[in-house]
Amino acid sequence: MTKWARISSPAYRQPNPRMLAEVAAGLSAPQKELPPKYFYDHRGSELFEEITRLPEYYPTRTERALLEGWMPTLVPELGTRALIELGAGSAEKSRIILSAMREWGNGGVYVPIDVSSSFLNQTAGRLRREYPGLRVEPLVADITDDFTLPHGLPHPALYAFLGGTIGNFYPPAAIRLLRRVRLAMEPSDRFLMGVDLRKDIRRVEAAYNDAQGVTAAFNRNMLLVLNHELGANFDPATFEHRAFYETVTHRIEMHLVSKIDQDVRIPGIGLVPFVAGESIRTEISCKHDRGSVTELFAAAGLRIETWKTDPEALFALVVGATA
Ligand code: AVJ
């Protein structure tokens, strides 16, 4: 096959075997489910950026204000020489930490890790121009999978997992991820995590049911990702966005609800039947408090060193150290 033929051939002709297996397993479960990482193709990443600017979506701007207030003192206190960021995306908030590293007078190393190579490489190029003294070493990896953290970085290193993305993980998976970070940490290293906090249900539900329908478009985009990557024939117009808070488990659940009885075809999987009203769970977003984070950390060999929230206690930034 020529190079050109390979480029013009649609993605689904060579489906990612891991994706195919995850989708097959998720759509054959009694409660159909898909991993939220499949929101983030280029369009999905754009839609998420749009979500972060919505008036209802408080997490991003709250976390940013916390970072702006704290990083200029925390980074010199820790003496941070390397920043390793899990799920970096557009690295918008990383700049706050990188600027503090530069102020503090150290060139340093930045390792942004993300599943989406498209956003990652764009970001890496831009950051190299903006921070000439910085070594930028992007890593394309799936942090929900067995990924390897880089070795040989200068210490103290700061591992960062921002945005409240830990909320996407069921507790056992969250603990596995935190353990992986813990194993890479030396005693002088720290872990900085953003967590969305438990609060008035109406406030949380509004953040996932915005008036402009951007979250609904973001949710439905996952079906387009499946169409493109696997050659599925989902019609997004036949699925409705639904997001609600589960009080027992303290989490938002996002679903796509089929409006009709239908069979969807996915090459390599077959026909996936839906009855009207049946849903696919596309995301959980767990909300935390200091107690629940203490438990997750303890299970991973970490302890909370510092816990900081905004005045309304909407969101927290946590610094973890090895226990
Ligand atoms: C990127 C996982 C933190 O859970 O709030 C936003 C994703 N989903 N609106 C979140 C999301 C719907 C977001 N995280």
Side-chain angles (χ1 to χ4, degrees):
M1 199 201 290
T2 71
K3 187 176 159 197
W4 306 110
R6 206 173 303 127
I7 287 168
S8 62
S9 162
Y12 67 84
R13 301 273 183 220
Q14 289 181 358
N16 175 326
R18 180 176 162 89
M19 180 180 192
L20 195 63
E22 286 172 336
V23 170
L27 293 184
S28 60
Q31 168 61 69
K32 293 181 169 67
E33 181 151 25
L34 290 169
K37 65 185 170 195
Y38 296 128
F39 284 130
Y40 302 96
D41 66 344
H42 195 86
R43 179 66 189 139
S45 300
E46 278 175 0
L47 284 166
F48 178 67
E49 295 279 300
E50 212 177 309
I51 287 173
T52 65
R53 293 189 290 267
L54 292 168
E56 297 95 335
Y57 196 77
Y58 58 83
T60 310
R61 66 178 65 91
T62 309
E63 184 182 50
R64 186 179 306 124
L66 282 166
L67 288 168
E68 277 166 355
W70 193 17
M71 292 307 111
T73 52
L74 182 73
V75 164
E77 260 169 45
L78 298 177
T80 305
R81 300 178 61 204
L83 174 65
I84 302 100
E85 190 178 11
L86 292 83
S90 72
E92 236 248 73
K93 286 168 289 194
S94 335
R95 279 161 219 273
I96 302 166
I97 306 174
L98 295 174
S99 297
M101 284 166 68
R102 180 172 60 188
E103 272 319 288
W104 180 64
N106 206 302
V109 185
Y110 177 46
V111 182
I113 306 175
D114 205 274
V115 261
S116 168
S117 59
S118 125
F119 254 55
L120 198 58
N121 292 325
Q122 243 182 45
T123 302
R126 220 176 288 143
L127 287 174
R128 285 192 187 104
R129 284 191 292 279
E130 273 177 59
Y131 297 87
L134 187 70
R135 213 167 91 211
V136 183
E137 296 180 358
L139 185 62
V140 177
D142 179 354
I143 59 165
T144 70
D145 196 5
D146 290 330
F147 69 109
T148 312
L149 286 162
H151 289 277
L153 296 173
H155 300 277
L158 183 63
Y159 291 86
F161 191 30
L162 300 174
T165 302
I166 189 71
N168 272 179
F169 293 75
Y170 289 96
I175 291 164
R176 281 198 298 275
L177 175 62
L178 298 181
R179 269 205 193 122
R180 196 181 294 281
V181 174
R182 162 67 188 87
L183 283 175
M185 282 169 74
E186 294 198 353
S188 71
D189 297 343
R190 291 294 180 270
F191 176 53
L192 176 69
M193 184 171 77
V195 282
D196 196 11
L197 297 176
R198 296 173 188 174
K199 61 182 68 65
D200 186 291
I201 291 169
R202 287 161 301 183
R203 182 89 190 252
V204 187
E205 286 190 334
Y208 295 83
N209 289 284
D210 65 279
Q212 292 173 59
V214 182
T215 308
F218 173 75
N219 198 2
R220 284 197 195 91
N221 182 63
M222 193 185 287
L223 301 179
L224 297 176
V225 171
L226 266 55
N227 288 353
H228 181 253
E229 294 295 321
L230 301 178
N233 67 347
F234 281 101
D235 174 3
T238 64
F239 287 85
E240 201 172 75
H241 165 72
R242 191 167 299 162
F244 54 87
Y245 194 73
E246 273 285 340
T247 48
V248 177
T249 46
H250 304 281
R251 70 191 187 207
I252 282 285
E253 290 198 5
M254 290 218 310
H255 291 248
L256 286 166
V257 187
S258 180
K259 298 179 191 170
I260 54 171
D261 293 350
Q262 60 179 321
D263 293 322
V264 175
R265 178 177 297 282
I266 308 178
I269 295 178
L271 286 181
V272 181
F274 288 87
V275 296
E278 185 179 0
S279 77
I280 309 170
R281 180 163 56 208
T282 50
E283 180 172 54
I284 62 166
S285 189
C286 301
K287 306 310 174 191
H288 287 281
D289 58 20
R290 194 170 174 149
S292 65
V293 174
T294 302
E295 279 176 33
L296 285 181
F297 271 22
L302 292 164
R303 63 183 170 84
I304 296 180
E305 188 172 70
T306 318
W307 172 272
K308 260 201 200 329
T309 78
D310 57 292
E312 283 185 279
L314 298 175
F315 198 93
L317 278 182
V318 196
V319 170
T322 57

